[in-house]
Short mmCIF file of all heavy atoms in Angstrom, two decimals:
data_model
loop_
_atom_site.label_atom_id
_atom_site.label_comp_id
_atom_site.label_asym_id
_atom_site.label_seq_id
_atom_site.Cartn_x
_atom_site.Cartn_y
_atom_site.Cartn_z
N VAL A 189 62.37 89.81 68.01
CA VAL A 189 63.79 90.10 67.75
C VAL A 189 64.55 90.17 69.07
O VAL A 189 64.08 90.80 70.02
CB VAL A 189 63.91 91.44 66.98
CG1 VAL A 189 65.35 91.93 66.98
CG2 VAL A 189 63.42 91.28 65.55
N THR A 190 65.67 89.50 69.14
CA THR A 190 66.61 89.63 70.28
C THR A 190 67.96 89.99 69.67
O THR A 190 68.09 90.09 68.44
CB THR A 190 66.77 88.30 71.04
OG1 THR A 190 67.46 87.37 70.17
CG2 THR A 190 65.42 87.71 71.45
N LEU A 193 69.25 88.26 66.54
CA LEU A 193 68.71 88.55 65.20
C LEU A 193 69.17 89.91 64.69
O LEU A 193 68.67 90.39 63.67
CB LEU A 193 67.17 88.48 65.24
CG LEU A 193 66.60 87.14 65.69
CD1 LEU A 193 65.08 87.14 65.69
CD2 LEU A 193 67.10 86.02 64.78
N ASP A 194 70.08 90.51 65.40
CA ASP A 194 70.58 91.85 65.06
C ASP A 194 72.04 91.70 64.60
O ASP A 194 72.92 91.35 65.39
CB ASP A 194 70.45 92.72 66.32
CG ASP A 194 71.17 94.06 66.17
OD1 ASP A 194 71.60 94.39 65.04
OD2 ASP A 194 71.31 94.77 67.18
N GLY A 195 72.27 92.00 63.32
CA GLY A 195 73.60 91.80 62.75
C GLY A 195 74.69 92.57 63.48
O GLY A 195 75.81 92.08 63.64
N THR A 230 66.95 83.99 54.89
CA THR A 230 66.18 84.60 55.99
C THR A 230 64.73 84.48 55.59
O THR A 230 64.28 85.13 54.65
CB THR A 230 66.58 86.08 56.18
OG1 THR A 230 67.99 86.15 56.38
CG2 THR A 230 65.87 86.68 57.39
N VAL A 232 61.94 84.89 57.58
CA VAL A 232 61.04 85.88 58.19
C VAL A 232 61.87 87.14 58.44
O VAL A 232 62.71 87.18 59.34
CB VAL A 232 60.45 85.35 59.52
CG1 VAL A 232 59.50 86.38 60.13
CG2 VAL A 232 59.73 84.02 59.29
N GLY A 233 61.62 88.17 57.62
CA GLY A 233 62.47 89.37 57.66
C GLY A 233 62.02 90.41 58.67
O GLY A 233 62.81 91.26 59.07
N GLU A 234 60.72 90.37 59.04
CA GLU A 234 60.18 91.32 60.02
C GLU A 234 59.57 90.53 61.16
O GLU A 234 58.76 89.63 60.93
CB GLU A 234 59.10 92.22 59.39
CG GLU A 234 59.59 93.07 58.24
CD GLU A 234 60.65 94.09 58.64
OE1 GLU A 234 60.60 94.57 59.78
OE2 GLU A 234 61.53 94.38 57.80
N ARG A 235 59.94 90.89 62.38
CA ARG A 235 59.41 90.21 63.56
C ARG A 235 59.02 91.27 64.59
O ARG A 235 59.50 92.42 64.49
CB ARG A 235 60.46 89.27 64.17
CG ARG A 235 60.78 88.06 63.33
CD ARG A 235 61.83 87.18 63.99
NE ARG A 235 62.03 85.96 63.23
CZ ARG A 235 61.29 84.86 63.36
NH1 ARG A 235 60.32 84.81 64.27
NH2 ARG A 235 61.52 83.79 62.62
N PRO A 236 58.22 90.89 65.59
CA PRO A 236 57.93 91.87 66.64
C PRO A 236 59.24 92.42 67.20
O PRO A 236 60.13 91.64 67.54
CB PRO A 236 57.19 91.03 67.70
CG PRO A 236 56.60 89.89 66.93
CD PRO A 236 57.55 89.60 65.80
N GLY A 237 59.36 93.72 67.20
CA GLY A 237 60.59 94.33 67.73
C GLY A 237 61.52 94.79 66.64
O GLY A 237 62.50 95.49 66.93
N GLY A 238 61.25 94.44 65.36
CA GLY A 238 62.09 95.00 64.32
C GLY A 238 62.45 94.09 63.16
O GLY A 238 61.91 92.99 62.99
N HIS A 239 63.40 94.60 62.39
CA HIS A 239 63.86 93.96 61.17
C HIS A 239 64.93 92.92 61.51
O HIS A 239 65.73 93.11 62.43
CB HIS A 239 64.45 95.05 60.25
CG HIS A 239 64.96 94.53 58.96
ND1 HIS A 239 64.14 93.98 58.00
CD2 HIS A 239 66.23 94.46 58.47
CE1 HIS A 239 64.88 93.59 56.98
NE2 HIS A 239 66.15 93.87 57.23
N VAL A 240 64.93 91.82 60.76
CA VAL A 240 65.94 90.78 60.95
C VAL A 240 66.97 90.91 59.83
O VAL A 240 66.61 90.84 58.65
CB VAL A 240 65.30 89.37 60.90
CG1 VAL A 240 66.38 88.29 60.97
CG2 VAL A 240 64.28 89.20 62.01
N ASP A 241 68.22 91.14 60.17
CA ASP A 241 69.23 91.28 59.12
C ASP A 241 70.29 90.19 59.19
O ASP A 241 71.43 90.37 58.75
CB ASP A 241 69.86 92.69 59.14
CG ASP A 241 70.55 93.00 60.47
OD1 ASP A 241 70.51 92.15 61.38
OD2 ASP A 241 71.14 94.09 60.59
N VAL A 242 69.93 89.04 59.76
CA VAL A 242 70.84 87.89 59.76
C VAL A 242 70.11 86.67 59.20
O VAL A 242 68.89 86.68 59.06
CB VAL A 242 71.37 87.57 61.18
CG1 VAL A 242 72.18 88.73 61.75
CG2 VAL A 242 70.23 87.17 62.11
#
Side-chain angles (χ1 to χ4, degrees):
V189 166
T190 68
L193 301 181
D194 170 9
T230 305
V232 181
E234 299 296 328
R235 291 180 174 275
H239 180 66
V240 175
D241 60 358
V242 298

